[in-house]
């Protein structure tokens, strides 16, 4: 099984050996490192951390371990219980807390769990901060509080409703227009906290909700990553119910995918494109996504008079570039919407409310709306290499071969051709190169991927 320690947190599979899986000891160790880091960073005697979790089966166990570890360090905990990633991100600054921890393995299967770490702004830690926490954990550099200085726990079960309130306050969310349309929507909550919060949001907006897998019991009925091959049930139910569209979220509700009224995938890449196009139509400005996201966002941004830039893959990198360019909306092509008007984090609730407002202001069906955007198709592949090969050298040679094209090396190698692009990224955990391509047809995207894979094989001599 697996334990992965990174600058963004620790994730792994439940059970097994200490240091090789996410065991209770590993959860306590990493929570201790985070709490120790906050003490050192703030220099404060009294600290507060917000904690929330998704509905995974292991959630209550990991949750109790982490909460009581922080208490043992003398840190007060605001316990949101069952929650979502964006809800915790909203709660941290509202509570004037010093940090936050979200217990979720996002789209990973049910045997996984993780600790995702936030700063006092409710945003993910940067690379330097993450490295410091890893170093503290490696050295077991923890000092726990004596019995008179243990932390306290305050339970709050109202923050998902508070989060909904904050979304409905947004200027570009037109509640009355949405209510007037009497939309009918199918929701797949993958039996996690999205099954609570998304229907609750929709009902506040006067939407008729058909619930599918909305019982938060942690038994995911399908692979929780919201990809087409996992979503046949909701695609069929949207057609059967003659719904206006379907909504799919991952277990921690930071990724959002739509099913069009014809039962076809709207496309995760186009979640951000559609929402951004609406936002840009009301408040022109700049946008940001990552290097592996669709060029369609660039197209709609430029069409609305704004400027688009691409960041290295990873939410922290996207947020950093959004701040630097004063982007009014951004995110990632995996269905992640980042709208700074509410907070700098991927938020499916924001995406749903803005998408519904866009629909309410026009007469297009969801399928017609999807067809109105620039049409691109992606291919995602990987090539396995032998451990002895120098992956960085291989990528450098590819970049040199295409130096006459537009090449970015901020995250692997991305080559922009006039009508297509290819992005090559090495894995940090195994000897593979991931190959992402996009073009105006699936055949062209697949063909470009095949060509690049062959070039990589020739360079690598395999």
């Amino acid at each position: 099984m697996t334990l992965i320690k990174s600058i963004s947190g620790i994730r792994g599979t439940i059970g097994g050996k200490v240091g090789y899986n996410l065991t209770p000891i590993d959860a306590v160790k990493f929570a201790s490192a985070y709490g120790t880091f906050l003490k050192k960073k703030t220099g404060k005697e009294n600290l507060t951390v917000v904690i929330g979790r998704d509905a995974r089966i292991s959630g209550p166990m990991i949750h109790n371990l982490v909460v009581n570890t922080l208490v043992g360090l003398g840190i007060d905990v605001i316990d949101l219980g069952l929650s979502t990633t964006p809800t915790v991100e909203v709660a941290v600054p509202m509570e004037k807390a010093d940090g936050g921890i979200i217990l979720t393995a996002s789209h990973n299967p049910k045997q996984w769990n993780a600790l995702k770490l936030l700063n006092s702004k409710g945003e993910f830690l940067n690379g330097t901060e993450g490295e410091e926490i890893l170093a503290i954990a490696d050295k077991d550099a923890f000092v726990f509080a004596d019995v008179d200085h243990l932390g306290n726990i305050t339970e709050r079960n109202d923050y998902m409703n508070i989060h909904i309130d904050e979304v409905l306050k947004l200027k570009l969310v037109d509640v009355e227009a949405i209510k007037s349309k009497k939309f009918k929507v199918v929701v797949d909550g993958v039996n996690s906290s999205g099954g609570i919060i998304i229907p609750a949001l929709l009902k506040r907006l006067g939407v008729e909700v058909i619930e599918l897998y909305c019982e938060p019991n942690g038994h995911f009925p399908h692979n929780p990553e919201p990809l087409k091959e996992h979503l046949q049930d909701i695609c069929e139910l949207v057609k059967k119910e003659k719904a206006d569209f379907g909504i799919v979220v991952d277990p921690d509700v930071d990724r959002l995918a739509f099913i069009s009224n014809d039962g076809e995938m709207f496309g995760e890449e186009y979640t951000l494109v559609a929402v951004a196009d609406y936002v840009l139509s009301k408040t022109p400005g700049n946008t940001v996504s990552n290097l592996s996201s669709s060029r369609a966002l660039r197209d709609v941004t430029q069409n609305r008079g704004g400027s688009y830039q691409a960041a290295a893959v990873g939410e922290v990198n996207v947020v950093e570039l959004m701040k630097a360019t004063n982007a009014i909306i951004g995110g990632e092509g995996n269905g992640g919407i980042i709208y700074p008007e509410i907070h700098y984090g991927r938020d499916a609730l924001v995406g749903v409310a803005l998408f519904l407002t866009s629909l309410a202001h026009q007469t297009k069906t969801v399928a017609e709306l999807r067809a109105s955007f620039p049409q691109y198709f992606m291919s995602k592949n990987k090539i396995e290499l032998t451990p002895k090969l120098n992956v960085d050298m291989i990528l450098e040679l590819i970049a040199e071969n295409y130096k006459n094209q537009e090449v970015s090396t901020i995250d692997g190698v991305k080559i922009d051709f006039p009508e297509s692009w290819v992005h090559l990224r090495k894995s940090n955990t195994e000897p593979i190169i991931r190959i992402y391509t996009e073009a105006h047809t699936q055949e062209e995207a697949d063909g470009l991927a095949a060509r690049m894979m062959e070039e990589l094989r020739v360079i690598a001599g395999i």
Side-chain angles (χ1 to χ4, degrees), residues 124-135:
F124 287 112
L125 302 182
N126 62 35
T128 301
E129 293 167 328
E131 293 288 357
E132 187 173 345
I133 291 170
L134 291 174

Side-chain angles (χ1 to χ4, degrees), residues 428-442:
N428 293 323
T429 58
E430 51 187 330
I432 66 172
I433 294 177
R434 301 188 188 280
I435 302 152
Y436 305 89
T437 60
E438 184 178 65
H440 287 294
T441 69
Q442 191 64 57

Side-chain angles (χ1 to χ4, degrees), residues 50-67:
V50 177
I51 305 288
R53 66 175 178 86
D54 71 13
R56 288 169 190 275
I57 298 167
S58 61
M61 176 190 73
I62 298 295
H63 178 264
N64 287 331
L65 289 165
V66 169
V67 166

Side-chain angles (χ1 to χ4, degrees), residues 212-392:
L212 176 68
Y213 308 135
C214 286
E215 183 181 354
N217 57 26
H219 292 282
F220 304 149
H222 54 75
N223 186 307
E225 186 165 15
L227 301 177
K228 181 177 181 179
E229 56 267 30
H230 309 147
L231 302 175
Q232 192 59 40
D233 288 353
I234 187 172
C235 290
E236 292 177 357
L237 191 56
V238 166
K239 289 190 293 183
K240 178 182 176 183
E241 292 288 344
K242 295 181 172 57
D244 291 288
F245 66 102
I247 293 171
V248 184
V249 292
D250 64 342
D252 67 324
V253 201
D254 63 354
R255 289 175 63 175
L256 171 65
F258 298 123
I259 310 300
S260 296
N261 53 292
D262 57 4
E264 296 296 322
M265 290 292 295
F266 191 82
E268 260 197 316
E269 291 288 334
Y270 281 81
T271 300
L272 175 57
V273 174
V275 173
D277 188 57
Y278 165 66
V279 169
L280 292 166
S281 74
K282 302 297 182 182
T283 52
N286 303 327
T287 65
V288 171
S289 64
N290 67 40
L291 286 166
S292 291
S293 297
S294 176
R295 190 179 276 184
L297 180 61
R298 181 206 66 178
D299 292 355
V300 299
T301 302
Q302 293 175 350
N303 184 55
R304 297 289 187 181
S307 175
Y308 164 81
Q309 290 195 45
V313 173
E315 185 173 328
V316 172
N317 300 317
V318 172
V319 167
E320 184 179 302
L321 188 56
M322 286 181 68
K323 291 179 177 180
T325 60
N326 294 314
I328 60 169
I329 190 168
E332 299 182 286
N334 59 11
I337 306 289
I338 301 174
Y339 189 49
E341 284 293 313
I342 185 167
H343 66 107
Y344 275 106
R346 297 182 304 183
D347 192 328
L349 277 74
V350 171
V352 167
L354 292 172
F355 186 77
L356 279 165
T357 303
S358 176
L359 277 184
H361 287 173
Q362 58 190 312
T363 58
K364 291 186 180 76
T365 66
V366 172
E368 290 168 344
L369 178 63
R370 173 64 177 82
S372 72
F373 295 120
Q375 299 300 299
Y376 291 101
F377 296 83
M378 276 195 172
S379 181
K380 299 180 181 181
N381 300 272
K382 64 182 179 180
I383 183 169
E384 296 186 11
L385 307 171
T386 61
K388 294 181 180 179
L389 287 172
N390 186 330
V391 178
D392 290 325

Side-chain angles (χ1 to χ4, degrees), residues 54-127:
D54 71 13
R56 288 169 190 275
I57 298 167
S58 61
M61 176 190 73
I62 298 295
H63 178 264
N64 287 331
L65 289 165
V66 169
V67 166
N68 285 293
T69 297
L70 295 177
V71 168
L73 285 165
I75 296 172
D76 292 335
V77 173
I78 298 175
D79 181 6
L80 306 191
L82 190 62
S83 190
T84 78
T85 288
T87 303
V88 177
E89 291 171 338
V90 166
V92 169
M94 290 187 77
E95 292 294 326
K96 296 181 173 58
D98 300 285
I101 302 178
I102 305 143
L103 306 173
T104 174
S106 192
H107 61 272
N108 285 45
K110 69 176 184 178
Q111 65 267 32
W112 289 77
N113 213 327
L115 283 68
K116 292 184 177 181
L117 310 177
L118 304 176
N119 62 22
S120 60
K121 297 178 181 177
E123 300 168 14
F124 287 112
L125 302 182
N126 62 35

